[in-house]
Amino acid sequence: MWVVDHQSTYGRGEFAGLSGSPAGPFAEFEAFVAGAAGRLLHVAVLLTAEPEGDAPGARRLLSGALARTFADWRRLRGDDPYAATRAELCAAFARSAWRPHTRPRPDAGVLGRLSPQERLVIVLRVYEGVAEEQAAALLGVPPERVRAVCHRAVAALRVRGAHDGPTGRAA
């Protein structure tokens, strides 16, 4: 299983254990991870609402999604590996979101104030730019539900943002 290096940044996407011969059968996978890991890690951080510097839950989600993508790599030929990994990441987050959670951490940021379902829809629709129908198919809900959750989350962010100071914390 790939573990995100604690020293990595979003732009570099460095992973421990991925060095090897470029002539190996999964050199394409290694190249994919090198190019997409930073953005996927940022998606995971947004989903978990963890602080950027300390995001063990996001790293755990991403490691699992990359492991599943690696297992399916040969079957993904011709498909978009980024979309497949993002789908795995979102599915894993959705499964974990049904578990009981504690109150949001004070350093969770703006998205930490939303429910896990609202965060998932906002990240897919706003950050990733996934179409409403695609997000609905990915989440297994009707497009109307995605639209309603997105509108509710945006409204909640606007209301909460009006009460916050310039730092994002309650004034």
Side-chain angles (χ1 to χ4, degrees), residues 7 14 25 40 46 56 60 94 102-103 133 150-151 158 162 164:
Q7 302 301 318
E14 298 170 358
L40 287 166
L46 291 173
R60 195 171 26 258
T102 58
R103 285 183 274 166
E133 293 78 19
C150 189
H151 285 292
R158 285 184 181 149
D164 291 350

Side-chain angles (χ1 to χ4, degrees), residues 32-114:
F32 161 71
V33 171
R39 184 168 172 97
L40 287 166
L41 179 59
H42 191 65
V43 169
V45 167
L46 291 173
L47 289 173
T48 60
E50 294 176 313
E52 290 183 18
D54 179 34
R59 287 186 176 93
R60 195 171 26 258
L61 274 175
L62 180 56
S63 293
L66 286 172
R68 285 184 293 278
T69 301
F70 180 75
D72 294 337
W73 188 253
R74 290 180 196 249
R75 283 180 276 171
L76 287 174
R77 295 294 253 203
D79 290 339
D80 182 9
Y82 183 85
T85 307
R86 182 180 59 209
E88 290 289 346
L89 186 66
C90 291
F93 176 75
R95 283 190 302 271
S96 70
W98 294 113
R99 297 180 190 141
H101 283 71
T102 58
R103 285 183 274 166
R105 295 168 47 171
D107 57 352
V110 175
L111 291 182
R113 301 175 196 158
L114 299 175

